[in-house]
Amino acid sequence: MTAPNLRQVLTHAPSADEAYEMLREKAKLLLLRERELFDLRHARDRTEGWLKAFIDLPPQLDRIDQRALIERWGAIVVGHLGFGLAAAIELSLDGEVRSLMFDPGPAPDVRRVPPNVTSLLTKQQTGTFEKGEPAELAPFATTIGFGQFLWACLPIGEDVRLLVVAGDDPDTARYSEIRTYDRGHFAVLSSHLVAHLTSEALRSEIEDERLELKATNQELDASLSRLRETQDKLVQSTKLLVAASRRAGMSDIATGALHNVGNVLNSINVSADLATERLRKLRLGGITKTTALLREVTDGDSTFAKDTKGAKALAYLEHLATHLESEREALADEMSRLREHLTHVKSVISKQQAYAIGVDMSELCGVDRLVDDAIVLTRESLNRHDIRLIREIDSLPEACLDRHKVLQILINLLSNAKQAVCAMNPPEKWIVVRARAVDEAHFYLEVRDNGTGVRAEDRDRLFTHGFTTKAGGHGFGLHMSALTARELGGLLELIDEATGERGAIFRLTLPFAAATRQGEAP
Amino acid sequence: MGLHVSSTFTEQRSSLEAGKATAAHLKNELGCPPKIVFVYLTVKHNARAFLSGIREVLGEDVRIAGCCTQGVMANGVLREEGYAASLMALGGESLHAATARALEIQTDTARKGTELGRELLDSLGGRTPKVAIVQYDPLSGVDAAVLLRALYEVLQCPIMGGAASHPFGVPVSTTQQYFGGEVTEKSAVVSAFAGDFTAEFETCTGCSPVGVEMVVTKARDNMVLELDGRRALDVWRELTSSAPDAALRPEDTAALAIGVKSPGGSHMIRAAFLLDREAGGFVLQAAIPTGERVMLFHRTVEDVLDGAHRLGATMREKLHGKTPRAALGFECAARTLPFLGADRSLQENVELQRDVAAKIPWVGFTAWGEVCPSADGSPAFHNYTYPLLVLAE
């Protein structure tokens, strides 16, 4: 298009010069508007760029690690905001460089930031380095390869700062200018980054703790499961134990019963023998001889023979003799059968005794604990009677034994001791419980009291079945205790000591190792 | 198909790796050894590393021509910030290519232009070039018109291209031109092509005359010292409403569009390139001689976009009956980011690509001074212009 020269055209204007001047003013206005538009557009585009960076920075994913977030920031700063270089340096307060990110890479080998630089960065928090100012940053700028840059140094942990830098290297720095609004936008974007890092750190921490908690919960669940399994097993074991105990108890009872029955059976056997012997010795032959003699005497012409009553009496006697003889024979036969039955019963009992095998409940246990358990069970009873219990327990190795049975014996002995002391009722009533080693293989538990003691005449039958000195006693206690001691491979005895004091000493000697057969006491 | 073309674009930030990656892409897509590779990089890139990467893949002897720029163009892309690179490789049996470079072009400009032309002709083996493409350093102080005239006198073919550039709105610094593996300043790199293809070109400006005319009453080389008898800088300040003692901002240089009548009657638009406070004048890339009348122009967004649409339509008409193979654009950097803004600049180019020939390889850069043939075929220097070259078969 060929532009007219308006000076020539505007001939009808009031004044061509005025018109021309107006045109110049309009042209100036146009140019001014054009410049203003340029300035506004440039500022708007730049601000939009920063705003977009602000919006694009947060991670889209729920979880993104800190390194990736910083790299994202770098990519935005260089890729979208047009800076030539971006760097993020994790610093401790003493200037140690913990990590580096440079975009584009690679990162220079920077291990430490000088103290004066660290101090400036930490105090000021944001700033600019351009045209070599501030001078303190110049060497640092050279080290990290920047010619000019915006920077922000913000805390991301207690003693950790993140220094973020955006700018250009010395070669390309001349092609860019740091604008005033860039400074503000950069500071905001940096704060935005740090806020995300901090929240990401917190989120990571929370997530780590959550995972830890989850793992702990899983462990607890597993433990709970195992506990339940163990509990179930324990219940099963308890049931088995109860059953076994019951069987053992039953076995004990059966054994005891069998033993007692056996004892009674012996008595019956003896009585049967005695009865058979007495039956056999029954003097029925005398009657027969007497009746035979009377017959001889009364045969013929005797008054006794002529007397009807006499004849009948004689006949009666003869019948009686025959009948008694016959009865004796029958009773002898019966006794014989009775003895056979008794023998059979005894045989059955013997067999049952053989079958009534006690369950081996041996376990390793401390002798001192065993004694203490017995004391605990009897302490209240002793305290009620003001009986002082003295404990003399040596340091002994653990013994493998049926704890329950030993406890039974000890409790029995303590009970007897208590009764004896109460019966004696001395001014000071005491019972001593002692545990000592006999040798490497054996130890003894002793119950000593200052009670009534044991009469000399009772000593031999003290452990026999049914013997008792107590009114209402059944005489099983010491007997069963002695039997039990034997089962355990030990020995229960009354210790005869010439102490000059009244009272009794009962000693239970046992092996440390479980007995394999009875009667192993030294 | 005798003319092979491939192009690529990358925003990869590692210059060496980007060079390798783009070269590999070009090599794979071209289907034959490249006769020349055009490389346009934003200033963030380490150009030497980038070129090194290219040569590592394509060979040390590969012809490379290009320059640094404010922004690069590619298919569907116009990127004027950060790290950006646009490349095009040309090859094929129907293409003969030559590349030459002149250093310190601001001195002995005419002679160097002539030597450039001769070197190119020699490399082409006497073949008549169909088109030449130039990239030069506008900050060397060279009078582009002198260089182009000398070049044209030898080559006698359309010359297109542009001046290297760097980001707008910062103090002018230096620009670089690429020749093989070398990166230089104050130089001009010219490529000439001969072969069995056609070169179609068209341009648009997007400027409208204001109606205010002035006379260059004093000029020295390519510096205008006086307008209508007054210090040129004072006139400039007045027209741009700048206070007399206000700091001269770099972006202000593009504020004034000065139209110079071309032999064909239309105006060639010039922009002040440098403002010289001491001399009281402003520097143009092509001289306006003393006594020349100049018209004040201004730009509007509508004019710029309409101009681009007309450019596309006109080019399409020219390509009727031909198969376009490659497009090279050299849009004025004052039109794009500083004027249209990023979004509209992209829109302008995307629509232009669609209008001309969608999907053909496209490369280009935003220039500080554009070169395209005038009506008589001789190269003319422009500002605020968008010259477009399409190679077709």
Side-chain angles (χ1 to χ4, degrees):
Chain A
M1 176 181 127
T2 306
N5 186 328
L6 291 176
R7 189 195 290 273
Q8 294 166 345
V9 168
L10 294 175
T11 52
H12 297 292
S15 159
D17 284 340
E18 284 173 359
Y20 186 76
E21 235 6 81
M22 278 169 57
L23 201 59
R24 275 177 74 93
E25 290 305 313
K26 282 190 177 174
K28 282 166 61 176
L29 198 61
L30 272 172
L31 292 173
L32 180 65
R33 290 289 173 262
E34 204 173 281
R35 280 184 57 192
E36 284 173 351
L37 272 174
F38 164 77
D39 289 341
L40 283 170
R41 192 178 295 118
H42 197 269
R44 182 203 66 193
D45 288 350
R46 195 69 183 148
T47 303
E48 276 181 3
W50 283 106
L51 184 61
K52 193 167 184 307
F54 192 89
I55 293 166
D56 286 347
L57 182 61
Q60 298 298 319
L61 304 172
D62 287 338
R63 182 178 172 84
I64 187 170
D65 62 78
Q66 291 192 350
R67 179 81 190 174
L69 190 58
I70 290 172
E71 286 174 355
R72 186 190 189 94
W73 168 87
I76 288 171
V77 164
V78 175
H80 299 300
L81 290 172
F83 289 95
L85 288 173
I89 303 171
E90 200 175 319
L91 279 179
S92 59
L93 285 180
D94 63 358
E96 181 200 348
V97 173
R98 294 193 181 182
S99 70
L100 286 172
M101 188 288 301
F102 269 67
D103 190 335
D109 186 19
V110 180
R111 309 273 175 97
R112 201 150 198 95
V113 176
N116 62 326
V117 172
T118 308
S119 174
L120 185 151
L121 296 172
T122 310
K123 279 187 193 154
Q124 206 173 306
Q125 293 201 338
T126 61
T128 311
F129 175 79
E130 55 181 340
K131 297 184 175 68
E133 296 292 337
E136 304 98 296
L137 291 182
F140 178 66
T142 305
T143 304
I144 60 173
F146 279 73
Q148 66 183 21
F149 54 86
L150 292 160
W151 63 268
C153 188
L154 301 169
I156 57 169
E158 201 175 313
D159 296 319
V160 184
R161 299 289 179 271
L162 184 71
L163 171 65
V164 288
V165 180
D168 289 280
D169 65 38
D171 285 336
T172 57
R174 58 193 158 162
Y175 296 122
S176 60
E177 197 169 297
I178 298 175
R179 310 281 175 153
T180 307
Y181 49 73
D182 281 334
R183 297 189 178 105
H185 292 318
F186 180 76
V188 169
L189 188 66
S190 305
S191 299
H192 194 44
L193 170 67
V194 164
H196 276 290
L197 287 172
T198 310
S199 82
E200 182 51 39
L202 283 171
R203 209 179 337 187
S204 282
E205 224 175 283
I206 290 169
E207 180 63 16
D208 287 344
E209 284 182 14
R210 186 188 72 82
L211 289 173
E212 208 177 304
L213 200 61
K214 189 176 170 184
T216 306
N217 278 347
Q218 284 171 347
E219 272 177 34
L220 278 172
D221 285 341
S223 296
L224 207 59
S225 280
R226 285 195 296 273
L227 193 63
R228 284 201 195 95
E229 280 175 22
T230 307
Q231 199 175 23
D232 289 343
K233 282 180 188 168
L234 195 62
V235 167
Q236 289 305 316
S237 297
T238 305
K239 284 182 183 169
L240 290 173
L241 197 63
V242 166
S245 297
R246 190 174 295 121
R247 281 199 299 278
M250 285 168 64
S251 173
D252 283 347
I253 291 168
T255 304
L258 285 172
H259 178 75
N260 291 331
V261 165
N263 287 344
V264 170
L265 210 56
N266 282 338
S267 301
I268 296 172
N269 243 357
V270 166
S271 297
D273 285 343
L274 283 174
T276 304
E277 188 62 25
R278 289 189 76 139
L279 202 58
R280 188 180 64 78
K281 287 180 178 173
L282 201 64
R283 293 180 185 173
L284 293 179
I287 297 176
T288 306
K289 283 180 183 172
T290 304
T291 53
L293 191 62
L294 281 175
R295 180 60 68 194
E296 284 179 15
V297 168
T298 57
D299 266 347
D301 195 33
S302 68
T303 307
F304 188 76
K306 290 178 183 172
D307 187 11
T308 307
K309 286 186 183 170
K312 283 184 180 172
L314 185 64
Y316 171 76
L317 285 173
E318 284 174 336
H319 277 118
L320 183 64
T322 306
H323 176 75
L324 285 176
E325 192 63 43
S326 155
E327 283 291 307
R328 187 179 72 171
E329 291 299 325
L331 281 171
D333 285 341
E334 285 297 328
M335 290 306 297
S336 177
R337 277 197 288 278
L338 181 63
R339 286 172 65 190
E340 280 173 15
H341 288 318
L342 284 174
T343 303
H344 177 68
V345 168
K346 197 164 179 178
S347 166
V348 167
I349 285 171
S350 292
K351 279 184 186 163
Q352 291 303 317
Q353 278 180 324
Y355 291 146
I357 299 166
V359 175
D360 183 9
M361 300 290 281
S362 296
E363 60 181 286
L364 211 60
C365 54
V367 175
D368 55 340
R369 282 202 303 276
L370 198 58
V371 171
D372 287 339
D373 287 345
I375 290 172
V376 164
L377 289 169
T378 53
R379 185 182 289 281
E380 193 181 331
S381 174
L382 296 177
N383 287 343
R384 269 204 305 274
H385 294 90
D386 296 323
I387 300 173
R388 183 161 70 100
L389 187 68
I390 301 161
R391 184 179 173 278
E392 295 176 1
I393 310 296
D394 286 354
S395 176
L396 298 174
E398 285 185 325
C400 182
L401 40 73
D402 189 328
R403 189 173 166 279
H404 173 69
K405 287 183 178 172
V406 174
L407 260 181
Q408 270 184 325
I409 297 171
L410 276 178
I411 289 167
N412 191 32
L413 294 179
L414 284 168
S415 174
N416 288 348
K418 182 204 79 178
Q419 288 171 0
V421 169
C422 288
M424 188 67 192
N425 198 23
E428 284 183 18
K429 297 191 276 289
W430 50 261
I431 297 173
V432 176
V433 179
R434 186 177 284 171
R436 289 216 172 120
V438 175
D439 52 38
E440 281 184 6
H442 299 86
F443 68 98
Y444 69 78
L445 300 170
E446 203 172 79
V447 176
R448 190 185 281 235
D449 64 69
N450 63 344
T452 52
V454 178
R455 294 181 305 181
E457 59 270 28
D458 290 334
R459 287 173 190 264
D460 290 337
R461 46 190 185 139
L462 194 61
F463 297 103
T464 56
H465 174 75
F467 173 80
T468 181
T469 60
K470 294 176 268 189
H474 48 67
F476 290 156
L478 281 176
H479 175 67
M480 290 304 299
S481 296
L483 286 178
T484 305
R486 202 180 304 162
E487 281 174 17
L488 295 173
L491 177 69
L492 180 62
E493 56 188 336
L494 175 70
I495 300 299
D496 187 9
E497 283 184 359
T499 60
E501 291 183 13
R502 296 293 296 275
I505 303 172
F506 282 86
R507 181 179 290 176
L508 171 66
T509 306
L510 292 168
F512 282 110
T516 55
R517 58 186 171 85
Q518 294 182 357
E520 286 187 349
Chain B
M1 182 175 77
L3 182 62
H4 292 243
V5 184
S6 66
S7 67
T8 186
F9 167 79
T10 183
E11 288 183 288
Q12 190 175 352
R13 299 192 280 279
S14 168
S15 298
L16 176 64
E17 296 307 315
K20 288 185 201 173
T22 49
H25 179 87
L26 292 174
K27 184 178 178 181
N28 289 339
E29 294 295 308
L30 196 63
C32 61
K35 298 242 174 110
I36 187 167
V37 178
F38 288 103
V39 180
Y40 302 114
L41 309 174
T42 54
V43 296
K44 300 293 187 192
H45 267 297
N46 179 331
R48 284 188 179 81
F50 199 104
L51 299 179
S52 174
I54 294 173
R55 295 171 81 214
E56 200 175 307
V57 174
L58 296 178
E60 301 287 316
D61 296 333
V62 65
R63 290 191 192 85
I64 295 174
C67 62
C68 72
T69 174
Q70 173 181 306
V72 303
M73 285 177 244
N75 289 90
V77 173
L78 174 64
R79 183 100 175 105
E80 295 187 272
E81 278 184 323
Y83 291 79
S86 181
L87 290 81
M88 177 180 278
L90 299 172
E93 290 175 357
S94 56
L95 178 73
H96 301 275
T99 312
R101 178 190 59 188
L103 300 170
E104 302 294 330
I105 54 174
Q106 74 281 6
T107 58
D108 236 349
T109 306
R111 180 183 63 78
K112 288 176 182 175
T114 304
E115 283 174 3
L116 272 173
R118 285 183 186 149
E119 190 180 335
L120 288 167
L121 281 183
D122 287 342
S123 297
L124 287 173
R127 296 180 183 88
T128 305
K130 293 254 178 99
V131 67
I133 296 173
V134 61
Q135 292 96 190
Y136 69 95
D137 186 353
L139 303 179
S140 61
V142 66
D143 187 331
V146 171
L147 178 70
L148 294 170
R149 195 159 45 241
L151 199 53
Y152 181 68
E153 278 175 9
V154 177
L155 293 178
Q156 290 292 304
C157 73
I159 300 174
M160 298 194 70
S165 59
H166 67 56
F168 201 75
V170 296
V172 290
S173 179
T174 59
T175 67
Q176 292 85 43
Q177 297 74 53
Y178 313 145
F179 179 67
E182 296 176 24
V183 178
T184 52
E185 297 169 10
K186 298 182 181 177
S187 55
V189 176
V190 186
S191 307
F193 303 97
D196 188 14
F197 64 92
T198 63
E200 302 296 339
F201 50 86
E202 190 54 52
T203 187
C204 67
T205 60
C207 291
S208 299
V210 174
V212 173
E213 195 176 69
M214 291 172 284
V215 175
V216 176
T217 47
K218 190 175 180 184
R220 184 178 68 228
D221 296 327
N222 44 340
M223 184 184 296
V224 172
L225 293 165
E226 284 183 9
L227 286 166
D228 288 346
R230 295 171 57 205
R231 268 170 45 109
L233 196 58
D234 293 340
V235 174
W236 185 87
R237 278 187 190 279
E238 183 187 300
L239 287 173
T240 57
S241 303
S242 298
D245 55 352
L248 298 171
R249 301 185 310 168
E251 57 267 34
D252 292 337
T253 58
L256 214 58
I258 300 169
V260 179
K261 263 201 186 146
S262 69
S266 61
H267 282 82
M268 293 181 295
I269 308 300
R270 303 283 160 84
F273 199 69
L274 294 167
L275 305 175
D276 192 328
R277 182 179 262 174
E278 200 176 310
F282 50 81
V283 178
L284 305 169
Q285 288 190 49
I288 301 176
T290 303
E292 189 78 32
R293 283 185 177 276
V294 294
M295 172 67 71
L296 206 60
F297 277 71
H298 80 104
R299 298 164 295 169
T300 65
V301 171
E302 293 75 21
D303 283 343
V304 171
L305 294 178
D306 284 346
H309 282 303
R310 281 197 299 276
L311 168 64
T314 308
M315 181 59 82
R316 196 164 58 246
E317 282 173 20
K318 287 188 174 181
L319 290 171
H320 181 70
K322 302 185 180 81
T323 305
R325 291 279 180 234
L328 295 93
F330 311 97
E331 185 169 12
C332 175
R335 283 165 59 106
T336 53
L337 188 65
F339 184 72
L340 292 175
D343 292 342
R344 267 199 290 243
S345 299
L346 177 62
Q347 178 195 350
E348 176 207 25
N349 276 272
V350 167
E351 288 174 359
L352 181 62
Q353 291 174 18
R354 181 200 63 202
D355 291 344
V356 171
K359 295 181 185 175
I360 61 168
W362 194 289
V363 76
F365 68 98
T366 54
W368 280 358
E370 302 79 59
V371 176
C372 64
S374 55
D376 63 359
S378 62
F381 174 83
H382 302 264
N383 286 121
Y384 298 126
T385 308
Y386 193 159
L388 181 65
L389 168 67
V390 176
L391 304 178
E393 287 177 317

